[in-house]
């Protein structure tokens, strides 16, 4: 069964970027510390990353994050979603208008202009098709940014929330939780490492 999983790194004070994020500074000032775990040699960090990317049938992201990863300082063959871990899932971008061009033409991009719910629905179709081809269950992963995940949570679209809690206090930046209807969570797993505490919750 395809699940909708929101998966994102966050600081101890609730930010998913540092201050002043932008296309040339996607994680903002000091925000690189949020993703230290993803480049760690710790076996538990590697396992968390490997398992998360292996289950990804399709990935949803917002337009600001797309502009970062597709920009000149963004992803390449060695840095990107699950680089070096698994094959490349389909990517679905929530946007008001498709970009004029795409740098990362080797990836499967779909641009949805009618909101996060329709983007998640399109990603579910891609994930279910990939599941059928591979004869295993794959999920939709919402990788960010913070506003996209917050919108999906408010809309009740998320089944599982996976947080990678980094041991850093950023003081400012892009907050993950910005209000809206409360959501009850059930904690399912905690994996502590030296670079993060990996938390998994079911969203009720």
């Amino acid at each position: 069964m395809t699940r909708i999983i929101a998966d994102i790194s966050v600081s101890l004070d609730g930010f998913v970027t540092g201050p002043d994020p932008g296309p040339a500074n996607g994680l903002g000032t000091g925000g690189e510390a949020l993703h230290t775990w993803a480049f760690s040699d710790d076996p538990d960090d590697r396992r968390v990353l490997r398992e998360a990317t292996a289950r990804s049938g399709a990935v949803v992201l917002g337009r600001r994050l797309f502009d970062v990863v597709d920009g000149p300082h963004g992803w390449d063959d060695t840095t990107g979603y699950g680089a070096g871990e698994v094959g490349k899932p389909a990517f679905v971008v929530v946007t008001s208008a498709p970009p004029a061009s795409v740098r990362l033409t080797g990836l499967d991009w779909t641009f949805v202009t009618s909101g996060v719910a329709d983007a998640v629905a399109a990603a579910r179709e891609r994930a279910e098709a990939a599941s059928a081809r591979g004869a295993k269950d794959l999920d939709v992963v919402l990788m960010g940014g913070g506003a996209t995940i917050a919108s999906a949570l408010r809309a009740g679209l998320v089944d599982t929330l996976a947080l990678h809690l980094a041991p850093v206090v950023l003081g400012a930046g892009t907050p993950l939780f910005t209000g809206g209807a409360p959501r009850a969570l059930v904690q399912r797993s905690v994996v502590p490492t030296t670079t993060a505490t990996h938390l998994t919750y079911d969203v009720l």
Side-chain angles (χ1 to χ4, degrees):
M1 179 177 178
T2 298
R3 297 174 299 164
I4 311 301
I5 302 174
D7 188 311
I8 195 165
S9 298
V10 62
S11 69
L12 291 175
D13 50 347
F15 294 103
V16 296
T17 76
D20 303 318
N25 187 30
L27 291 172
T29 303
E32 294 83 4
L34 294 170
H35 289 174
T36 299
W37 73 270
F39 301 96
S40 164
D41 291 327
D42 183 290
D44 285 327
D45 286 329
R46 300 309 304 170
R47 177 177 58 81
V48 167
L49 181 63
R50 182 173 60 252
E51 291 176 354
T53 53
R55 71 176 181 241
S56 302
V59 176
V60 176
L61 62 158
R63 178 57 185 268
R64 289 183 182 177
L65 182 54
F66 167 79
D67 287 342
V68 170
V69 302
D70 194 56
H73 304 282
W75 290 352
D76 56 28
D77 290 339
T78 60
T79 302
Y81 187 87
E85 294 290 343
V86 295
K88 298 170 182 176
F91 293 89
V92 178
V93 181
V94 188
T95 182
S96 59
S101 63
V102 175
R103 178 178 65 86
L104 296 169
T105 55
L107 299 178
D108 178 1
W109 297 103
T110 298
F111 298 91
V112 173
T113 60
S114 50
V116 67
D118 286 344
V120 168
R124 185 191 292 275
E125 289 181 3
R126 295 296 188 93
E128 289 176 346
S131 296
R133 289 194 301 271
K136 65 176 182 178
D137 288 337
L138 295 173
D139 298 319
V140 172
V141 177
L142 281 69
M143 66 171 287
T148 299
I149 287 180
S151 294
L153 283 167
R154 286 195 298 269
L157 299 172
V158 177
D159 299 314
T160 301
L161 177 63
L163 298 179
H164 311 286
L165 187 63
V168 60
V169 175
L170 293 173
T174 305
L176 177 57
F177 302 113
T178 56
R183 290 286 169 189
L185 305 176
V186 176
Q187 184 170 286
R188 292 305 185 194
S189 69
V190 179
V191 179
T193 72
T194 59
T195 58
T197 302
H198 305 285
L199 303 161
T200 304
Y201 302 92
D202 287 343
V203 182
L204 301 183

